[in-house]
Amino acid sequence: MKIAIIGQGYVGLTISGYASEHFDVVGFDSNEKVVKNLNSGISHIEGINSSLISERLSAGRYRATNKGSDIKDCNVVVIAVPTPLTKDRKPDLKFIDSACQTIGENVTNPVLVINESTSFPGTLRNFIKPTIEKYSANRINHLYAISPERVDPGRTDFNQKNTPRLFSGLTSEASRMTRDFYSKFCNTLIEVSSPEVAEAAKLFENTFRQVNIALVNEFAQIAHSLGISVYETLDAANTKPYGFMKFTPSAGVGGHCIPVDPTYLAAVAEEHGAPATFIRRANEVNLQMSEYVVRRIAEDNDGDLQGKNVLVVGVAYKPNVADVRETAAELVINHLRHQGAVVTWHDEIVGSWKGESSSPLIGADITVVVTKHDSADEKKILASAPYVFDTTGKITGAKGL
Ligand SMILES: NC(=O)c1ccc[n+]([C@@H]2O[C@H](COP(=O)([O-])OP(=O)(O)OC[C@H]3O[C@@H](n4cnc5c(N)ncnc54)[C@H](O)[C@@H]3O)[C@@H](O)[C@H]2O)c1
């Protein structure tokens, strides 16, 4: 069996790592630098070590490519490309479209096409299948299935093996082959009755998180206005052994999933005349958190941030990864600069970002912790400025939400 995986990012490279233990894998990516690095044994994704890539390269079980013709003789093609939003915050399927073009133009035998990219219900049936057919010179009866990815980059307790995987094919043959493929490296496979259910379940999982994060972010503001600790209150509520799940406040949500996926659900809901009010409101609350954080910092500093040296600690969207997509740190920095603060940032994992480099963790007037990596030293953070505001709730002795 030869597997082609389109997109070698967080999702695609992770699957490549697991699948290449059992199959020959070709990792197709349109980014030349990614391909070059992977073929030199350099991984750019947390959780997939460079040593693993090197080992699979030397065993001849894996190679990266940006040539469409290299996926020609595969038996299974997995799509793992980004599904972002357009400028006007609508689902943007342009990467899926170009992945379909690569498949349509190069795969001439019938194969199983599995989509792992997150998208709205109906994407497999009404977009991926017809788009691949549109790009194929001859009509080929590929099999189609969806298995939405649930990987949580940087997490060590849950991985591809022990995270249950949903799947569904457009036909029972597609479902059977999908089960056979994933069962090699995933312990629990759950078949649902249609691809649309699997697609919707993935969106609802992330919408559940988005809405609960917004709820706790709003509650943090309520707790502060009442003069009580949000963290103590959440810990108290969390002593209830049922019916409560603890979420913690933050400067906002980031990453490719939580700020984006719910909008895919809202878009499809609105198209069908159904309300998606929670999603829209949760998005607003989460986006406004950065402004709230800066307001709190200004209030504690005589209402004036003009000319103050502010160091933002942690610009990745979450701890222990280098991913800065949709990071709340960007909004915090923008609001601080808008108030006249001189902003630098410190993040040893990210290193450089938007043409700026990580600054030393020292000598600021104000330090704001947006993301706390495990490697970031708490004592050094506290010593970096006379005033430290921690949005993560992890630093004892700092001001916070
Ligand atoms: N990152 C996560 O935690 C996560 C978790 C679950 C699901 N997802 C979903 O998985 C999908 C992929 O996300 P990701 O985080 O892996 O993205 P990513 O940006 O890390 O990786 C995507 C890769 O695809 C490549 N690419 C883009 N268009 C291409 C094309 N037409 N052909 C070949 N390569 C192409 C890019 O160069 C990049 O290397 C998205 O739909 C996302 O919502 C992501």
Side-chain angles (χ1 to χ4, degrees):
M1 285 270 275
K2 183 171 161 184
I3 316 296
I5 301 179
I6 317 271
Q8 292 293 280
Y10 280 94
V11 167
L13 190 63
T14 305
I15 294 294
S16 297
Y18 281 84
S20 58
E21 199 182 334
H22 308 276
F23 310 104
D24 287 345
V25 172
V26 176
F28 176 88
D29 201 290
S30 49
N31 184 327
E32 226 170 282
K33 193 171 159 212
V34 165
V35 169
K36 203 167 160 222
N37 281 340
L38 287 172
N39 282 334
S40 310
I42 302 165
S43 166
H44 57 300
I45 298 298
E46 297 86 12
I48 296 292
N49 292 333
S50 294
S51 56
L52 180 87
I53 300 294
S54 298
E55 179 200 309
R56 299 288 154 79
L57 284 167
S58 5
R61 301 306 296 263
Y62 173 78
R63 80 191 156 98
T65 185
N66 56 3
K67 283 199 204 83
S69 54
D70 287 341
I71 71 164
K72 210 181 174 76
D73 52 345
C74 61
N75 310 95
V76 176
V77 188
V78 178
I79 301 174
V81 294
T83 42
L85 297 173
T86 56
K87 278 206 174 75
D88 54 348
R89 296 191 66 80
K90 299 259 165 38
D92 185 354
L93 298 188
K94 70 170 182 276
F95 297 105
I96 295 214
D97 186 290
S98 74
C100 290
Q101 183 170 6
T102 303
I103 299 167
E105 289 177 352
N106 293 287
V107 183
T108 46
N109 293 319
V111 300
L112 170 66
V113 177
I114 305 173
N115 180 36
E116 287 213 17
S117 293
T118 306
S119 187
F120 50 81
T123 301
L124 183 76
R125 195 186 301 273
N126 304 324
F127 187 83
I128 292 179
K129 181 175 183 285
T131 307
I132 291 176
E133 287 170 357
K134 178 183 88 183
Y135 287 117
S136 307
N138 301 305
R139 197 189 153 91
I140 301 159
N141 281 328
H142 295 307
L143 296 171
Y144 293 91
I146 169 87
S147 185
E149 183 51 62
R150 288 169 155 171
V151 68
D152 187 4
R155 188 163 191 143
T156 49
D157 52 350
F158 283 101
N159 52 41
Q160 289 292 331
K161 251 196 159 54
N162 63 1
T163 306
R165 183 174 270 283
L166 299 176
F167 73 98
S168 182
L170 278 184
T171 60
S172 53
E173 173 68 352
S175 293
R176 189 189 59 71
M177 278 186 68
T178 303
R179 181 184 287 280
D180 286 352
F181 170 60
Y182 286 111
S183 61
K184 293 283 188 298
F185 55 92
C186 179
N187 297 342
T188 310
L189 291 159
I190 302 149
E191 183 176 353
V192 293
S193 65
S194 70
E196 287 73 18
V197 170
E199 289 165 326
K202 169 70 196 179
L203 292 185
F204 190 69
E205 287 163 21
N206 281 349
T207 300
F208 173 83
R209 283 181 58 72
Q210 180 224 26
V211 168
N212 277 286
I213 292 167
L215 179 64
V216 80
N217 278 337
E218 195 162 77
F219 180 64
Q221 299 173 52
I222 296 171
H224 178 70
S225 72
L226 296 176
I228 56 175
S229 159
V230 62
Y231 298 108
E232 189 187 353
T233 313
L234 291 173
D235 285 343
N238 202 30
T239 58
K240 185 177 177 183
Y242 55 87
F244 183 78
M245 184 181 283
K246 186 176 155 188
F247 285 77
T248 47
S250 59
V253 292
H256 186 19
C257 299
I258 311 290
V260 175
D261 299 354
T263 303
Y264 271 65
L265 187 56
V268 81
E270 282 161 10
E271 225 178 271
H272 286 75
T277 48
F278 276 93
I279 295 173
R280 299 289 180 207
R281 181 67 193 131
N283 210 25
E284 280 167 18
V285 171
N286 288 333
L287 285 170
Q288 283 160 3
M289 272 315 274
S290 50
E291 202 181 341
Y292 172 75
V293 164
V294 173
R295 195 171 351 120
R296 287 275 309 275
I297 294 167
E299 277 166 17
D300 286 350
N301 287 274
D302 306 322
D304 185 14
L305 296 176
Q306 186 70 38
K308 296 253 166 57
N309 288 314
V310 182
L311 181 66
V312 172
V313 173
V315 296
Y317 86 89
K318 70 171 185 174
N320 309 325
V321 300
D323 195 346
V324 288
R325 289 177 292 182
E326 309 278 331
T327 176
E330 185 168 356
L331 298 178
V332 170
I333 291 171
N334 289 347
H335 288 302
L336 287 165
R337 285 186 174 149
H338 189 69
Q339 302 236 350
V342 180
V343 186
T344 52
W345 54 267
H346 171 85
D347 191 316
E348 282 173 353
I349 298 185
V350 172
S352 61
W353 172 53
K354 290 174 128 333
E356 297 173 15
S357 300
S358 175
S359 295
L361 186 50
I362 195 165
D365 299 321
I366 294 170
T367 290
V368 190
V369 184
V370 173
T371 299
K372 162 81 177 66
H373 297 307
D374 290 348
S375 57
D377 188 305
E378 203 173 312
K379 283 198 189 109
K380 282 190 185 158
I381 293 173
L382 284 170
S384 64
Y387 173 90
V388 178
F389 190 94
D390 170 32
T391 67
T392 71
K394 290 180 179 168
I395 299 178
T396 318
K399 284 270 192 175
L401 288 166

